Amino acid sequence: MGLDITWAVDWVRRSAQVISEHRVELITLDREIGDGDHGENMDRGFQAVLPKLDDLAAGSTPGDVLKLVATTLISTVGGAAGPLYGTAYLKAAAAAGGAVSLDGPAISAILTAARDGVVARGKAESGDKTMIDAWTPAVDAAAAAATAGTDAAGVFAAAADAAEAGAVATEPLVARKGRASYLGERSAGHRDPGAESSALLLRAAADTAAAAAGA
Amino acid sequence: MRVGSPGKVGLVFVSHSSDIARGLVSLARQMAPTASLFPAGGTDDGRIGTSFDLVTAGIADADAGEGVVVLCDLGSAILTAETALDFLDDAVRDRVRIVDAPLVEGGVAAAVAAESGDPLDVVVEAAESAWGGRRDDASEGAPSEAQVAGDAAQPIDGDRAASGHTRSIRLVNSDGLHARPAAELVKLASTFAQKVTVNGTDAKSLLGIMSLGLTKGAQVDIASEDPDGREAVDSIAALVESGFGEA
């Protein structure tokens, strides 16, 4: 079964909750190799989305929700995460189009578009110790799951698993992009906060999709 | 509502710090009193960071139809500026340039060019000229051979050595080498590929040239070690000799 507007709103609420719960953890990760504002910025951004969910017009689609998240994050998140996540959600919204319900292949396409948006904006490659190191394994796993005929919830679950593994795998890497790159070799040994928040958001998507499928 | 100066390219300074962005406007304003200079520093609520809304508003304020040059400090400022460009109408986006240049030096150089009514491409070049030779020969370090200030005894109009060219001129400008002539000198130097120094300072660095603080009557040593540097040295010498059209 496909994922609809109810799921999309649930995902955003769950994302806001998860980011809030991990706010201190993200701040700590970012303080080790960056400027220490990632948790606070992401929390502020998602908290700003919440009241806007209540103003969504009747008949809104998942794509409308993704676009709302995009514009809100771009305007409220002060660090690099604002434009990067904003672009990801914006490209995801475009890929979702006006569809009322999203199936496995649609979810795969949305994740691919989001990842491509982040790459185009931040010009990072795999192995640079950025959120791309969570996104690209997630996109690959989602594509494989969709091709195998897995439903939307299953595609998100595969993506979340791969993103979490990808985030963990950033720990030994030396940063080549972003503020952490100024640290050079000293950035090794710490998990990238952007990869971590990406994994959290995809896990929130998988959990809410599983709940929607079970409902 | 602030609006860009008619007929002039506008500038937006994007920094993580509102103090830096506003300070740079004040600094550049000394040399560019009528140019459109707008700060877009910090977040909407005054914290350290960059704001999509402030950058978007800055571009709108700076745009008088002649184009806008956007200069940024750290990486995420560029990301924010690029995202802001994505949301502009195509017609506006075509005349907005995000320039990769040192924020302070590039900002001042661009402001001087905008002040004198230069078109968009020239203002962009002025900002980029702030790199001077630094980017290409970053390993070279500061010039040491030529730390001979204006009072060092040097032959007037003589070739320094077989491999290079030197000209020494007395500055005739009554106000010294202030912002406008300094900018003209840097602009001219930037049109040559060869490295040229003025009293030991890179002739392509506006702040470097201005900080020489040369006053009327000072000796100006223009030199290039490049075998092909004669034309550059002679051109700059001629400009200094002419009094930059104001002596």
Side-chain angles (χ1 to χ4, degrees):
Chain A
M1 81 176 252
L3 297 170
D4 60 8
I5 177 73
T6 306
W7 162 79
V9 170
D10 279 351
W11 178 28
V12 178
R13 292 219 164 95
R14 177 78 188 137
S15 298
Q17 185 189 341
V18 167
I19 292 292
S20 245
E21 287 165 4
H22 290 80
R23 180 174 161 276
V24 173
E25 178 194 337
L26 291 173
I27 288 173
T28 304
L29 286 177
D30 194 28
R31 192 164 285 149
E32 281 161 348
I33 59 171
D35 44 14
D37 63 2
H38 188 56
E40 197 181 330
N41 283 341
M42 291 295 286
D43 189 29
R44 181 184 312 102
F46 272 99
Q47 292 303 319
V49 182
L50 290 180
K52 297 184 184 179
L53 292 173
D54 299 329
D55 299 334
L56 279 169
S60 292
T61 61
D64 293 328
V65 174
L66 294 170
K67 192 167 181 197
L68 179 67
V69 174
T71 52
T72 308
L73 293 186
I74 288 171
S75 294
T76 55
V77 179
L84 290 171
Y85 274 119
T87 303
Y89 280 96
L90 203 60
K91 298 299 181 188
V100 174
S101 175
L102 305 169
D103 59 10
I107 295 301
S108 173
I110 283 168
L111 292 175
T112 303
R115 188 272 316 268
D116 291 351
V118 175
V119 169
R121 174 67 64 220
K123 294 165 189 80
E125 295 171 8
S126 291
D128 284 351
K129 198 182 182 93
T130 70
M131 63 169 74
I132 292 302
D133 293 317
W135 274 97
T136 290
V139 165
D140 293 345
T147 305
T150 313
D151 68 3
V155 170
F156 263 131
D161 289 346
E164 285 169 0
V168 171
T170 63
E171 287 178 13
L173 297 176
V174 172
R176 289 196 295 252
K177 280 280 174 185
R179 204 72 70 87
S181 64
Y182 296 153
L183 292 174
E185 299 286 336
R186 279 173 292 151
S187 63
H190 302 282
R191 188 176 306 182
D192 178 67
E196 182 67 12
S197 61
S198 297
L200 290 172
L201 294 174
L202 289 172
R203 178 57 68 197
D207 288 349
T208 48
Chain B
M1 174 80 188
R2 308 164 298 182
V3 231
S5 300
K8 286 183 179 172
V9 172
L11 268 69
V12 179
F13 301 136
V14 183
S15 171
H16 280 62
S17 153
S18 64
D19 288 341
I20 289 177
R22 282 188 285 109
L24 181 52
V25 167
S26 305
L27 174 63
R29 180 68 70 209
Q30 281 194 305
M31 284 156 268
T34 70
S36 300
L37 312 175
F38 292 98
T43 61
D44 294 348
D45 48 357
R47 291 171 300 111
I48 294 289
T50 50
S51 157
F52 172 86
D53 292 336
L54 286 178
V55 174
T56 302
I59 291 171
D61 288 342
D63 183 23
E66 301 301 318
V68 176
V69 168
V70 181
L71 287 128
C72 305
D73 60 2
L74 300 167
S76 54
I78 300 172
L79 296 183
T80 300
E82 287 176 347
T83 306
L85 255 63
D86 279 355
F87 281 80
L88 295 176
D89 293 337
D90 290 347
V92 177
R93 189 189 307 115
D94 284 348
R95 58 175 185 261
V96 179
R97 307 278 177 79
I98 299 171
V99 177
D100 180 18
L103 180 61
V104 174
E105 213 168 349
V108 171
V112 171
E115 174 75 18
S116 47
D118 286 337
L120 182 59
D121 286 345
V122 178
V123 176
V124 169
E125 276 171 31
E128 289 170 342
S129 77
W131 287 112
R134 272 197 285 159
R135 217 181 194 188
D136 300 327
D137 28 70
S139 59
E140 197 177 272
S144 52
E145 133 275 334
Q147 291 303 1
V148 280
D151 56 352
Q154 291 215 357
I156 299 285
D157 280 344
D159 277 6
R160 162 181 297 230
S163 65
H165 307 282
T166 305
R167 292 277 303 276
S168 292
I169 318 283
R170 293 281 169 198
L171 191 64
V172 295
N173 294 56
S174 53
D175 293 333
L177 199 60
H178 63 89
R180 192 191 61 81
E184 276 190 43
L185 189 153
V186 169
K187 251 198 259 181
L188 179 61
S190 300
T191 63
F192 293 99
Q194 294 82 16
K195 178 166 183 175
V196 179
T197 60
V198 172
N199 293 1
T201 294
D202 185 349
K204 294 174 185 174
S205 163
L206 180 63
L207 289 193
I209 295 301
M210 288 186 41
S211 59
L212 288 173
L214 295 175
T215 52
K216 184 178 183 184
Q219 180 171 323
V220 184
D221 294 328
I222 302 153
S224 175
E225 292 186 359
D226 194 306
D228 300 323
R230 177 182 287 278
E231 189 193 347
V233 169
D234 287 347
S235 300
I236 294 169
L239 179 67
V240 175
E241 267 177 339
S242 76
F244 301 86
E246 66 177 18

